[in-house]
Amino acid sequence: MVNTYNVQLVNGKAVRNAVRGMLIVVIALAVASMASAQDNSGNSQAPQVKFKGGIGVIPVTGVAANGTVNLNTVRGVTPGAPWRIVDLEATVGFDGHIKVTGRGLLLASGNGIGTNAGQSVHATLFCGAAATATTHNTTTTGVALEADGDFRIDDFLSPPPPANCDTPVLLIRNVGGVWFAAGIPQTEDTNRK
């Protein structure tokens, strides 16, 4: 004869253990979901703006019929001599933390061609349309280019960029203020390639 009281107790424990297990899973999923939502809504760890690839400066965009040289001025910043860059990647966080890795930023003209010309660089992020863009500079005055033109910037922008940085432009500039290279904004389409 089976004791029905013991069977009910064993089944009750099994049910309680199953409910506890499901409750733990639900709580874990909720915590993970909240962490993911926080990363997408302003957590300083989530990037606000990304750049992948770089463009070296070409200082002149053309010559007018009257002989006037048109400089390649970007957001009010004048160009340096011709420079080339092999690669550039940058991320800007919502708190203004910026990380830039550049490779092969070297002079592309004159007697110093193929050298770093003893330059130091910093980054400037512009947010908004050209006429009304806000300017955000790294706080350090410059990072020395390595002999092969490589550099790393790990700094903060001052002031921090707005929560929505429309039409972002990232310029790599020297201590004198002219620009040598620009970052290529990374979009959803860029991520898929």
Side-chain angles (χ1 to χ4, degrees), residues 37-144:
Q38 186 179 19
D39 278 347
N40 293 330
S41 65
N43 183 336
S44 65
Q45 300 302 314
Q48 175 187 15
V49 184
K50 290 183 180 182
F51 296 87
K52 187 165 178 63
I55 302 166
V57 66
I58 299 171
V60 175
T61 60
V63 178
N66 65 3
T68 303
V69 174
N70 299 321
L71 292 178
N72 189 2
T73 301
V74 175
R75 300 296 198 262
V77 180
T78 57
W83 285 75
R84 55 81 89 171
I85 190 163
V86 173
D87 192 28
L88 184 138
E89 288 194 30
T91 58
V92 180
F94 284 94
D95 60 354
H97 187 205
I98 182 169
K99 289 186 177 185
V100 183
T101 302
R103 290 185 39 241
L105 181 59
L106 298 170
L107 192 58
S109 68
N111 291 332
I113 194 166
T115 71
N116 67 11
Q119 293 291 317
S120 292
V121 295
H122 70 278
T124 301
L125 175 69
F126 296 90
C127 296
T132 59
T134 57
T135 305
H136 312 275
N137 289 294
T138 51
T139 57
T140 56
T141 55
V143 173

Side-chain angles (χ1 to χ4, degrees), residues 140-157:
T140 56
T141 55
V143 173
L145 293 176
E146 295 177 16
D148 60 0
D150 291 358
F151 65 94
R152 286 186 183 279
I153 298 172
D154 188 352
D155 202 352
F156 283 86
L157 295 171

